[in-house]
Amino acid sequence: MASGTLLYAQSGGVTAVINATASAVISEARARKVKVLAARNGILGALREELIDTSKESIASIRALAHTPGGAFGSCRVKLKSLEQDRAKYERLLEVFQAHNVRYFLYNGGNDSADTALKVSKLAAEFKVPLTCIGVPKTIDNDLAVTDCCPGFGSAAKYTAVSVREAALDVAAMAETSTKVFVYEAMGRHAGWLAAAAGLAGEGPDAAPHLILFPERAYDEADFLASVKKVVERVGYCVVVASEGIRTADGTFVADAGGGKDAFGHTQLGGVASYLAGKVKDELGFKVHWTLPDYLQRSARHIASKTDLDHAMAAGKAAVQFALRGMNSTMPVIRRTANAPYKWRIEAAPLDKVANHEKTMPANFIRKDGYGITAAARAYLEPLIRGEAPPPYGRDGLPKYVTLKNVAVKKKLPAWEG
Amino acid sequence: MASGTLLYAQSGGVTAVINATASAVISEARARKVKVLAARNGILGALREELIDTSKESIASIRALAHTPGGAFGSCRVKLKSLEQDRAKYERLLEVFQAHNVRYFLYNGGNDSADTALKVSKLAAEFKVPLTCIGVPKTIDNDLAVTDCCPGFGSAAKYTAVSVREAALDVAAMAETSTKVFVYEAMGRHAGWLAAAAGLAGEGPDAAPHLILFPERAYDEADFLASVKKVVERVGYCVVVASEGIRTADGTFVADAGGGKDAFGHTQLGGVASYLAGKVKDELGFKVHWTLPDYLQRSARHIASKTDLDHAMAAGKAAVQFALRGMNSTMPVIRRTANAPYKWRIEAAPLDKVANHEKTMPANFIRKDGYGITAAARAYLEPLIRGEAPPPYGRDGLPKYVTLKNVAVKKKLPAWEG
């Protein structure tokens, strides 16, 4: 039996299945008699010594976590800087860990979180503090290096493909006398993975989505408008899917509706669909509608992918196993071993191969004309949205999502003046 | 056995279950050996003599229609004017009906369609043409008179409540360091039914959605912003649901993003959420996100309400029965006979009680402060989102929606010069 406590924390934008990872972490640790604390609001809770005792949660609650979206312990958008710049914070983390006998730190997030876990592990080594740091993958953006895909992406991808297929049927039915061009805005700052997933909604030149705009290709307005016009003339209507991060050839974001920057220094986006719809209306005169699903696309647990759920839980379980084996500074990643039938397994990747890298789509995933996905992209994407894993529903017609008690652990240190 | 053909047409914005009504109409008519034609793109197809022979569709396809969103034969936004103003069009309709031995006309739509069906029936009587006209209810807006609720609304309501519950979990997890105010824009030009349905997502002052803005109450910006601030201070974040049709005290729409007017003369809306989010950001300084689900909310068959599906199919079946019984100028409506347990039955309502009326929410459905729903509203709404009716999924992870063959009937008349 392992001695020492495991600390689990969630970081960055949440997903439909990050709590499934949490559920698997806690279940696996319980099976191995390891105590699990969770940090409230990610690394912030660790700094503030705001820790949650997960042993107060019932088995039923931990099981229900696996079908509950959001981030059950709270997540955060806080990026620690280098060990030199933020040394006091890293030292504080080690202090908190030691005060609560934390020997295993599992940080569930994207590449920024992998970077944080790696730095904590380096400082622990420097101070000769016994600590095993594990990054646990999570992001709807699917932009993590090494891993074949990221838990969270498959469910957002399924939401996207299903929503676009459904809305396209609506538009097709009404196009004769109403909306002719419909624009769907998909999340994805720098990588067009979710926009690409929309391509699964239909195949062939006349099937929606007719045009997909990727951040990997420069947005050329004249060409885009001409393409929309051609599709409407040929098909009667046009469904466009645009990645929020599309940019013109000079690197300017097409729309920057949020206008600010978040704590990671990323530009806040939001207005691409509305911009494109406005252009189509003004320049081509077609009646337009657009949608900005925003958070709905990353929290839609009701339409989660079973494959994605399996990945999320397997990653959580493996993270605990890696931790207990002392596989410091690693991340459980998904390795695809076959496409048809789809097969995969969990492997360990060194955190430094993941931290601060960003995976964009391979060039051969985007059609030559730049407006669609290739057969290679389909072969990659399709297994990831496969299978359904609906939550249980109550008699009130709503999914039965759990709210944890989140009982705070008594603080042992002076308040943090961060 | 009835002699004569039944013509079925879809009108106005489509819903997740209007095809379920179509499926029930065709099945019931087939069982009674009545031939069913469908008009392509609603009344427009009838005017143009663009008719579809539904007997060419397999039993499996007609069954699959019941789980396929959109409008399988095409719908339209075309409103006929008075019998005097549009007399030539009404006469043309009768001409087409007679050429194809149409004795039963089923028009599946909202109050404008009920009005059209009523006028056609009046002209048929004037010309002594044997024709039974039936309105079949459909609208996500839930604004039809007489009927307790409208097929299509329950599924859009379930989509709304589920989506708001899910997004609220996302916002709650991130609020400490990210988005503090989230705004969801619900469809509904003049009636706040869908916005009200969002209220089912949570109960009590601290549960999301914290503030609902109804078109039935004047939008008071100072009061709204003060309310948002209070909720954020108390709860840590604030989820707002706004009906697209909210107006200030002087009757001005808060946002009119579409800017134009449709064929019905309705103002096109779209930008309420973005407007409110902008105000919250500028005036209160909170980080905001917003969503505009747009067509996704009315085409999301994957999260349809079983109750709504049952209503839609029962209305279709009853419409055929009413037609064959010669119950001219009626509409099958839903009568609620008990709330707990929920019970309902189909009754016949005269079309003139439905045509051109609009049902807004009862005043006692809106909380005194104007920002939430009452227990009475919950008791009314909850049964309508109850039960799940997921479509079958393919091995590709997508719902198996059917595409009909839509074989055209040979034209018998000269082209329409409308």
Side-chain angles (χ1 to χ4, degrees), chain B residues 92-178:
Chain B
R92 165 74 181 183
L93 285 176
L94 290 186
E95 213 181 344
V96 172
F97 290 0
Q98 287 186 286
H100 293 273
N101 193 29
V102 171
R103 296 287 177 91
Y104 315 101
F105 174 48
L106 268 56
Y107 205 20
N108 200 173
N111 41 32
D112 287 319
S113 316
D115 181 62
T116 300
L118 185 61
K119 286 183 177 132
V120 171
S121 129
K122 279 180 183 164
L123 197 70
E126 188 186 319
F127 282 115
K128 303 205 184 339
V129 169
L131 183 72
T132 301
C133 293
I134 308 286
V136 194
K138 174 271 344 170
T139 168
I140 63 155
D141 292 333
N142 205 36
D143 59 358
L144 284 189
V146 188
T147 190
D148 179 68
C149 62
C150 301
F153 170 68
S155 293
K158 187 175 183 112
Y159 172 94
T160 304
V162 171
S163 298
V164 169
R165 175 172 283 193
E166 290 178 333
L169 290 173
D170 188 311
V171 176
M174 305 294 299
E176 171 77 26
T177 54
S178 184

Side-chain angles (χ1 to χ4, degrees), chain B residues 269-323:
Chain B
L269 304 172
V272 167
S274 126
Y275 171 84
L276 295 174
K279 275 289 157 191
V280 167
K281 188 183 176 209
D282 294 345
E283 304 296 327
L284 303 179
F286 294 132
K287 182 171 175 195
V288 293
H289 258 246
W290 74 92
T291 179
L292 176 67
D294 197 63
Y295 291 160
L296 305 192
Q297 71 201 281
R298 71 181 197 193
S299 55
R301 180 62 183 82
H302 75 271
I303 186 74
S305 148
K306 176 68 164 60
T307 303
D308 187 38
L309 180 66
D310 290 345
H311 289 163
M313 297 195 72
K317 183 176 178 179
V320 173
Q321 294 168 345
F322 289 4

Side-chain angles (χ1 to χ4, degrees), chain A residues 166 179 258 289 294-295 401, chain B residues 166 179 258 281 289 294-295 401:
Chain A
E166 291 179 332
T179 297
H289 259 246
D294 197 63
Y295 291 159
Y401 294 143
Chain B
E166 290 178 333
T179 298
K281 188 183 176 209
H289 258 246
D294 197 63
Y295 291 160
Y401 294 143

Side-chain angles (χ1 to χ4, degrees), chain A residues 147-149 307 310-311 314 333-347 379-380 382-384 386, chain B residues 395:
Chain A
T147 190
D148 179 69
C149 62
T307 303
D310 290 346
H311 288 163
V333 293
I334 292 144
R335 167 91 184 277
R336 181 185 307 226
T337 55
N339 252 339
Y342 174 64
K343 286 185 186 162
W344 58 280
R345 65 166 179 261
I346 296 283
E347 291 186 348
Y380 168 79
E382 204 225 72
L384 307 184
R386 214 176 270 164
Chain B
R395 269 197 43 77

Side-chain angles (χ1 to χ4, degrees), chain A residues 98-116:
Chain A
Q98 288 186 284
H100 294 272
N101 193 30
V102 170
R103 295 286 177 93
Y104 314 102
F105 174 47
L106 269 55
Y107 205 19
N108 199 174
N111 40 32
D112 287 319
S113 315
D115 181 62
T116 299

